[in-house]
């Protein structure tokens, strides 16, 4: 389903966990827009029941991985019940070893939420008090410090996040200065927790960080694929392209749903464009970057949808190890395996990288055609006095540079592996690398598309903007509310940032959705 028909995350004030898996928009509401988190009674009961099983296993001194044994290759070492709590504290401290630049606020909050989702399914055996403390961090804007480099898929980043729950590590409260974990908790009226059996392992294990960061990338992608169609429609008007290449009959003979969706979206955007109508027969056939939009954008739509399906499945999964599986009302079994493996998310994130770079490569070409007087009938670099002014010459360089960076980031991470843990974990997913790359690529695409929108608005200033479609005119007015016409050279960086912000915060999509609805064009 198109993101255009969904509720914007900014309007969601609270996300209740427990009765169903949170939607992508709810994740963004918490991670990006500070929505509160609470638990349903069903959530709380699942957690309590699972905890009772773990405590029974410990009292019976059952051999359970990570509860009465060491971790990884240390599984050979049996841990006595009296050391169960110490074992969990040790894994948190010893695993907090990621390095480099810290994760940003929305990445940390998304991971915290994903931990609550995963451990709240009732297969992890943690106490409700632990999950309430994590929710307390979210609801009080406590953002733990977590270096973002050096993970093969899980463990290290999560270790830094878990330290704060012990009153250790570092955190920021409401965007303030870094303080130690105990001080951060005290500032918001929370207290450190003493970890008990299974809890340290449960917080570090699984696909929580890779899923969370991939969700952020996915949401950016869902926005961008719609903006890409809009930007292409505006460029088509500016370059006097023919709408004939978007004929529904033509796309009906190609058995790809995404292609037909993109073609239909652009027809809807341009339904009342006099520029499109006037130029329908201007050329028999346009350049590839104009006439192949449905095919190129449609392919990206298809694989973004694939990634969404896979990521949503992971949200609905338990990635813990071992799984505490209930058998009847008061007994259960601990099953060890590899549900923590991130291959599903890694492959999805790698796919997002390629799908988004595919959108960027055709967007940059449309931008070039608008600024390049050798290929358009517009003034060189879209300025009235070229030569003295460079106009949008170097803005196109920025799009080209971003595209080059996206290409470099799009080599798949999941094809690689380096054995770890005394060769106990002999393949690793490298899903974390894939997720971080997808997040970066999604942000770069927003800037590439913002540049196309910015350039298209400037190009339309050399035509009759009043003859553009009602959707185009509304987006043009939005851009011009922050970016004036470039009559001569100026510093264009603030202009790019302004339009990128309008894209990222949903303003552009809000106009697209409202205008299509007002014109009775179905938003699918």
């Amino acid at each position: 389903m198109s993101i255009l028909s969904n509720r914007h995350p900014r309007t969601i004030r609270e996300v209740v966990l427990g009765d169903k898996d949170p939607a992508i928009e709810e994740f963004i509401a918490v991670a990006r827009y500070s929505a509160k988190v609470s638990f349903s009674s069903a959530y709380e009961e699942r957690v309590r029941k699972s905890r009772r099983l773990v405590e029974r296993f410990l009292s019976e001194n059952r051999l359970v991985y990570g509860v009465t044994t060491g971790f990884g290759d240390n599984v050979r070492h049996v841990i006595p019940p009296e050391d169960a709590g110490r074992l969990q504290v040790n894994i948190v401290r010893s695993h907090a070893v990621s390095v480099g630049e810290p994760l940003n606020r929305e990445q940390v909050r998304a991971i915290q939420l994903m931990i609550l989702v995963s451990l709240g399914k009732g297969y992890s055996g943690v106490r409700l008090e632990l999950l309430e403390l994590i929710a307390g961090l979210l609801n009080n804007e406590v953002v733990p410090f977590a270096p973002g480099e050096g993970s093969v898929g899980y463990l290290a980043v999560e270790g830094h996040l878990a330290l704060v729950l012990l009153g250790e590590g570092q955190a920021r409260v409401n965007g303030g200065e870094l303080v130690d974990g105990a001080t951060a908790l005290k500032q918001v009226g929370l207290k450190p927790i003493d970890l008990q059996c299974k809890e340290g392992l449960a917080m570090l294990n699984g696909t929580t960080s890779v899923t969370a960061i991939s969700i952020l990338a996915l949401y950016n992608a869902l926005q961008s694929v719609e903006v890409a169609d809009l930007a292409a429609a505006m460029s088509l008007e500016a370059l006097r392209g023919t709408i004939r290449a978007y004929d529904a009959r033509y796309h009906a003979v190609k058995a790809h749903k995404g292609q037909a969706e993109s073609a239909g979206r652009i027809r809807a955007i341009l339904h009342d464009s006099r520029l499109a109508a006037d130029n329908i027969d201007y050329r028999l056939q346009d350049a590839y970057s104009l006439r192949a939009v449905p095919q190129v954008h449609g392919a990206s739509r298809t694989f973004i949808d694939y990634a969404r399906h896979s990521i949503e499945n992971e949200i609905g999964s338990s990635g813990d190890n071992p799984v505490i599986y209930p058998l009847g009302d008061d007994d259960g079994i601990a099953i060890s395996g590899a549900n923590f493996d991130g291959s599903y998310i890694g492959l999805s994130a790698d796919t997002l990288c390629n799908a988004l770079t595919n959108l960027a490569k055709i967007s940059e070409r449309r931008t070039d055609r608008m600024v390049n007087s050798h290929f358009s009938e517009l003034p060189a670099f879209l300025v009235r006095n070229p030569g003295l002014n460079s106009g949008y010459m170097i803005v196109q360089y920025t799009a080209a540079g971003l595209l080059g960076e996206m290409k470099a980031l799009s080599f798949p991470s999941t094809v690689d592996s380096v054995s770890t843990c005394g060769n106990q974990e002999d393949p690793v997913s490298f899903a974390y690398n894939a997720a971080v790359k997808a997040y970066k690529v999604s942000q770069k695409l927003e800037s590439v598309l913002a540049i196309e929108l910015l350039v298209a608005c400037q190009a339309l200033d050399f035509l009759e903007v009043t003859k553009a479609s009602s959707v185009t005119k509304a987006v043009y007015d939005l851009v011009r509310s922050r970016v004036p016409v470039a009559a001569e050279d100026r510093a264009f960086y603030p202009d790019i940032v302004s339009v990128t912000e309008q894209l990222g915060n949903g303003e552009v999509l809000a106009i697209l959705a409202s205008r299509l609805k007002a014109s009775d064009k179905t938003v699918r």
Side-chain angles (χ1 to χ4, degrees):
M1 179 180 290
S2 168
I3 197 172
L4 292 178
S5 59
N6 294 351
R7 185 181 178 189
H8 193 277
R10 190 170 45 243
T11 67
I12 299 172
R13 301 302 180 193
E14 182 181 16
V15 175
V16 181
L17 302 180
D19 296 329
K20 61 180 180 178
D21 294 321
I24 301 298
E25 289 77 13
E26 291 178 306
F27 265 93
I28 302 302
V30 173
R32 191 170 292 176
Y33 297 108
S34 301
K36 302 295 185 181
V37 175
S38 62
F39 306 145
S40 72
S41 57
Y43 179 102
E44 294 178 352
E45 178 54 32
R46 288 198 303 267
V47 171
R48 291 192 181 101
K49 181 177 180 180
S50 182
R51 182 63 195 176
R52 289 194 295 269
L53 289 178
V54 168
E55 290 175 348
R56 175 174 180 172
F57 297 163
L58 186 66
S59 68
E60 296 173 354
N61 201 20
R62 295 191 194 183
L63 192 64
V64 177
Y65 173 76
V67 175
T68 54
T69 75
F71 308 109
D73 193 45
N74 280 333
V75 68
R76 298 168 294 164
H77 299 279
V78 176
I79 308 299
E82 60 267 24
D83 287 334
R86 182 180 174 188
L87 176 69
Q88 301 305 311
V89 173
N90 283 349
I91 191 176
V92 169
R93 289 173 175 163
S94 65
H95 284 51
V97 292
S98 54
V99 298
E101 291 296 313
L103 298 179
N104 65 29
R105 173 184 174 275
E106 69 173 29
Q107 290 172 322
V108 170
R109 289 177 61 83
I111 295 170
Q112 290 173 315
L113 177 58
M114 191 60 214
I115 290 172
L116 293 178
V117 171
S118 178
L119 302 190
K121 293 188 181 299
Y123 300 109
S124 294
V126 301
R127 289 171 298 157
L128 183 61
E129 292 89 339
L130 176 66
L131 304 185
E132 288 174 334
L133 181 56
I134 297 173
L137 299 187
L138 282 168
N139 292 340
N140 290 280
E141 286 290 341
V142 178
V143 179
F145 170 84
E149 299 173 19
S151 174
V152 298
Y154 56 103
L155 298 175
V157 169
E158 293 86 343
H160 285 277
L161 299 183
L163 280 176
V164 174
L165 303 172
L166 310 180
E168 301 176 17
Q170 293 179 298
R172 299 182 191 274
V173 179
N174 290 314
E177 295 296 318
L178 271 177
V179 295
D180 64 83
T183 300
L185 293 176
K186 185 176 181 180
Q187 285 180 4
V188 297
L190 299 174
K191 295 181 179 180
I193 195 167
D194 293 323
L195 293 182
Q196 297 183 13
C197 66
K198 183 68 167 60
E199 293 182 328
L201 175 62
M203 284 192 295
L204 271 58
N205 224 351
T207 62
T208 50
S209 64
V210 297
T211 303
I213 296 172
S214 294
I215 288 168
L216 298 174
L218 173 63
Y219 185 77
N220 292 346
L222 292 169
Q223 288 198 120
S224 289
V225 74
E226 299 293 350
V227 173
D229 283 346
L230 170 64
M234 293 175 66
S235 296
L236 193 75
E237 289 180 293
L239 289 166
R240 304 179 70 178
T242 176
I243 195 68
R244 290 198 189 280
Y246 298 82
D247 191 309
R249 295 166 297 182
Y250 184 79
H251 298 284
V253 303
K254 190 87 168 181
H256 290 290
K257 178 183 176 183
Q259 175 177 328
E261 287 179 353
S262 281
R265 179 78 78 240
I266 291 174
R267 288 196 308 272
I269 292 169
L270 299 179
H271 78 281
D272 59 353
S273 170
R274 286 186 288 155
L275 286 173
D278 290 349
N279 292 304
I280 194 167
D281 292 319
Y282 188 71
R283 300 184 194 93
L284 177 63
Q285 182 170 281
D286 287 315
Y288 201 88
S289 58
L290 294 181
R291 62 184 162 95
V293 169
Q295 291 81 0
V296 176
H297 288 200
S300 290
R301 276 184 180 275
T302 296
F303 287 97
I304 291 169
D305 283 346
Y306 156 78
R308 180 175 190 164
H309 176 73
S310 181
I311 290 169
E312 288 177 336
N313 280 347
E314 196 68 31
I315 293 171
S317 304
S318 171
D320 209 348
N321 183 50
V323 162
I324 309 303
Y325 198 88
L327 299 173
D329 292 332
D330 58 357
D331 200 3
I333 185 173
I335 307 173
S336 293
N339 274 355
F340 55 83
D341 180 75
S343 295
Y344 284 105
I345 293 297
L347 287 166
S348 299
D350 278 337
T351 297
L352 279 177
C353 287
N354 285 276
L356 300 186
T357 301
N358 190 55
L359 292 174
K361 75 179 185 182
I362 193 171
S363 171
E364 183 277 329
R365 287 294 80 201
R366 293 190 298 261
T367 293
D368 180 71
R369 296 196 81 84
M370 285 186 285
V371 303
N372 190 337
S373 61
H374 297 284
F375 294 105
S376 77
E377 298 167 41
L378 297 165
F381 308 114
L382 301 178
V383 68
R384 295 192 184 279
N385 191 5
L388 178 63
N389 293 287
S390 294
Y392 283 113
M393 178 193 296
I394 310 302
V395 171
Q396 182 266 328
Y397 281 41
T398 302
L402 289 167
L403 175 58
E405 294 167 14
M406 293 170 72
K407 289 177 182 178
L409 289 168
S410 292
F411 184 85
S413 293
T414 46
V415 299
D416 200 1
S417 180
V418 177
S419 296
T420 60
C421 200
N423 220 36
Q424 174 77 356
E425 297 178 5
D426 41 354
V428 298
S429 68
F430 277 133
Y432 183 84
N433 289 3
V436 170
K437 289 194 307 93
Y439 182 73
K440 291 178 180 177
V441 166
S442 73
Q443 292 178 314
K444 292 177 190 295
L445 176 60
E446 288 182 345
S447 294
V448 171
L449 293 173
I451 287 171
E452 185 179 0
L453 290 175
L454 180 64
V455 170
C457 288
Q458 181 76 4
L460 288 168
D461 282 314
F462 290 96
L463 302 172
E464 296 181 63
V465 178
T466 56
K467 295 180 69 175
S469 77
S470 56
V471 176
T472 293
K473 184 60 169 61
V475 173
Y476 173 91
D477 289 341
L478 175 68
V479 171
R480 287 287 174 253
S481 71
R482 293 186 63 179
V483 179
V485 177
E488 57 185 14
D489 283 352
R490 61 170 182 257
F492 291 115
Y493 167 77
D495 299 350
I496 298 172
V497 171
S498 292
V499 182
T500 304
E501 289 175 350
Q502 290 175 328
L503 190 164
N505 65 22
E507 288 181 79
V508 174
L509 284 188
I511 285 178
L512 178 59
S514 65
R515 290 288 171 168
L516 291 179
K517 183 177 180 180
S519 62
D520 294 323
K521 300 298 177 181
T522 303
V523 176
R524 298 185 185 275

